[in-house]
Amino acid sequence: MTERVVLAYSGGLDTSVCVGWIAEATGAEVIAVAVDVGQGGESLDVIRKRALACGAVEAEVVDARDEFAEGYCLPAIRANALYMDRYPLVSALSRPLIVKHLAAAARAHGADTVAHGCTGKGNDQVRFEAGIAALAPDLTCIAPVRDYAMTRDRAIAFAEDKGLPIATTKKSPYSIDANLFGRAVETGFLEDIWNAPVEDVYEYTRNPAAPREPDEVVITFEAGAPVAVDGRPVTPLQAVTELNERAGAQGVGRIDMVEDRLVGIKSREVYEAPGAIALITAHQELENVTVERELARYKRQVEQRWAELVYDGMWFSPLKRALDGFVTEASRHVSGDIRMTLHGGRAVVTGRRSAQSLYDFSLATYDTGDSFDQSLSKGFIEIFGMSSRIASRRDLTQ
């Protein structure tokens, strides 16, 4: 029986060439799997036909936008997930979903190998292969670009020699990865970290310095999930999509950073994630109102570790699953409304309300009606500082 390889297929030059390249190098039949996570561009049907024209024996296309929003973006919002306190895990979130569909296709088609188009310098190779190892440890992974030194020049020559139905002459100056949650741009002149991004780098966001009227929005959450925008019920997909448009129009969500890659190098990355940044900002503020202090303090530690695990490709790891349980429990009372002003590249919270609020006006006010018993504070401070006082007495006598 002929061996089969399931290929993560995007429809671009590299993965299109991979179809024939894998067949020649291994003698295996190739099943192409394309997953729509909101990246835009060509239709799934066009991509499917191209995969078949390039030599795939079968091609599957999956509209996974709702699944991505609900199963991957929503947990990231609840976790306030920002790698290095800035990056909302745009690419990292989509990889485990793609891996899930690759593993399912391998089972359905009797394949024993999964292939992807990643290089040996990036994070995605780890995310794909660690994900496959967790979901289907019996499968083998190959990466033609990395394993067979498939340079762009060689890929173009292969495509032209085989007459593959793909454009081989146009080359963007950037490497771009996009999905529902945002857009990542790297390489080209951006590799010089002194160079400022130019406006043509961006697609999801408008210039934040351009004059325009502010946009006020009210986002409603239930148990940490966005369920309405300006009073209109929304699904997670609709929430991210609408905030992408509205926050993006105000220039919200541009990120320019030098990032610590998993493989040990630092890389310059430019991101735009307007919906993600607006939703996480709103969610963080609602947590400030509804989550008890010690739980909130500990959750901030969990959030950092959660983001690192997802960035590092450990979506399916036991620790990530355990932290998911913590985040779900911590989100139980995160319900209410957040009002924000979107303007000048910023999402600024201007109002909060919640039936689950822990904010007590009578305790917080300094005006008439104050119910806080200030006479208790002196004794509280005495006891709170006692251990430090005792240690200081000892230290000062030595």
Side-chain angles (χ1 to χ4, degrees):
M1 180 178 176
T2 304
E3 291 186 358
R4 289 188 150 192
V5 174
V6 169
L7 170 67
Y9 186 69
S10 70
L13 171 66
D14 289 341
T15 54
S16 292
V17 168
C18 279
V19 175
W21 200 295
I22 291 169
E24 284 196 0
T26 68
E29 295 178 336
V30 177
I31 295 94
V33 176
V35 182
D36 183 358
V37 288
Q39 63 266 39
E42 297 175 310
S43 72
L44 289 176
D45 188 55
V46 168
I47 291 173
R48 179 180 178 277
K49 288 177 180 176
R50 180 177 302 134
L52 294 172
C54 287
V57 296
E58 294 189 53
E60 290 187 4
V61 292
V62 183
D63 184 348
R65 289 173 295 174
D66 275 303
E67 183 182 6
F68 181 49
E70 293 176 15
Y72 299 81
C73 301
L74 178 54
I77 293 168
R78 281 184 167 136
N80 299 319
L82 298 170
Y83 179 68
M84 296 178 68
D85 298 321
R86 297 181 68 192
Y87 168 46
L89 300 172
V90 169
S91 299
L93 288 172
S94 71
R95 300 322 186 219
L97 172 58
I98 296 170
V99 164
K100 175 184 169 184
H101 286 282
L102 291 175
R107 295 285 183 247
H109 294 283
D112 57 9
T113 302
V114 167
H116 59 79
C118 303
T119 70
K121 293 179 69 174
N123 301 307
D124 283 340
Q125 58 178 335
V126 182
R127 294 166 183 159
F128 277 112
E129 296 184 30
I132 289 294
L135 289 185
D138 56 305
L139 296 179
T140 300
C141 291
I142 60 173
V145 175
R146 179 193 68 197
D147 300 341
Y148 304 138
M150 194 181 79
T151 63
R152 184 174 180 84
D153 288 344
R154 293 179 68 188
I156 290 174
F158 186 91
E160 291 175 345
D161 182 59
K162 302 297 181 183
L164 300 182
I166 48 177
T168 59
T169 54
K170 288 180 63 178
K171 185 180 187 304
S172 168
Y174 318 115
S175 173
I176 298 170
D177 182 64
N179 62 45
L180 170 71
F181 217 48
R183 185 168 173 269
V185 186
E186 62 181 16
T187 71
F189 79 96
L190 295 173
E191 289 179 343
D192 183 338
I193 60 176
W194 187 250
N195 288 338
V198 293
E199 274 303 305
D200 71 357
V201 165
Y202 300 105
E203 185 176 308
Y204 284 15
T205 56
R206 302 283 297 277
N207 186 344
R212 60 176 65 88
E213 290 299 311
D215 184 4
E216 185 175 272
V217 61
V218 176
I219 305 171
T220 303
F221 292 86
E222 288 183 8
V227 295
V229 175
D230 290 333
R232 291 176 285 99
V234 291
T235 65
L237 174 60
Q238 291 168 335
V240 177
T241 300
E242 179 166 346
L243 268 300
N244 272 341
E245 294 172 358
R246 293 176 64 174
Q250 298 287 338
V252 174
R254 292 187 174 187
I255 303 159
D256 179 0
M257 63 186 290
V258 174
E259 181 179 299
D260 287 323
R261 281 190 181 176
L262 175 59
V263 295
I265 63 175
K266 289 184 181 290
S267 65
R268 201 283 186 75
E269 307 286 342
V270 173
Y271 298 107
E272 45 182 349
I277 294 301
L279 286 164
I280 289 173
T281 300
H283 181 267
Q284 287 174 321
E285 187 63 19
L286 187 57
E287 284 192 329
N288 290 343
V289 174
T290 58
V291 177
E292 183 271 334
R293 183 189 66 186
E294 294 306 314
L295 176 57
R297 286 178 173 178
Y298 196 81
K299 184 173 182 287
R300 283 189 280 274
Q301 299 177 48
V302 170
E303 290 168 359
Q304 181 178 1
R305 192 69 189 103
W306 194 96
E308 290 168 349
L309 286 168
V310 174
Y311 184 89
D312 291 349
M314 295 288 104
W315 181 274
F316 302 107
S317 68
L319 177 56
K320 159 67 170 47
R321 286 197 301 271
L323 296 184
D324 284 339
F326 174 89
V327 171
T328 297
E329 172 61 23
S331 300
R332 214 153 47 94
H333 299 295
V334 185
S335 300
D337 300 322
I338 294 293
R339 186 180 65 236
M340 307 177 75
T341 297
L342 309 173
H343 187 60
R346 300 178 64 207
V348 179
V349 173
T350 62
R352 318 120 177 100
R353 64 187 176 195
S354 171
Q356 304 295 320
S357 175
L358 298 177
Y359 178 84
D360 187 327
F361 178 84
S362 66
L363 290 172
T365 184
Y366 285 87
D367 294 332
T368 303
D370 178 10
S371 64
F372 187 87
D373 187 349
Q374 298 191 41
S375 67
L376 300 175
S377 294
K378 182 175 177 59
F380 164 74
I381 296 169
E382 288 287 328
I383 295 173
F384 183 76
M386 185 179 295
S387 62
S388 294
R389 184 181 299 109
I390 294 169
S392 293
R393 287 172 180 166
R394 178 201 62 194
D395 296 343
L396 291 172
T397 60
Q398 293 180 351

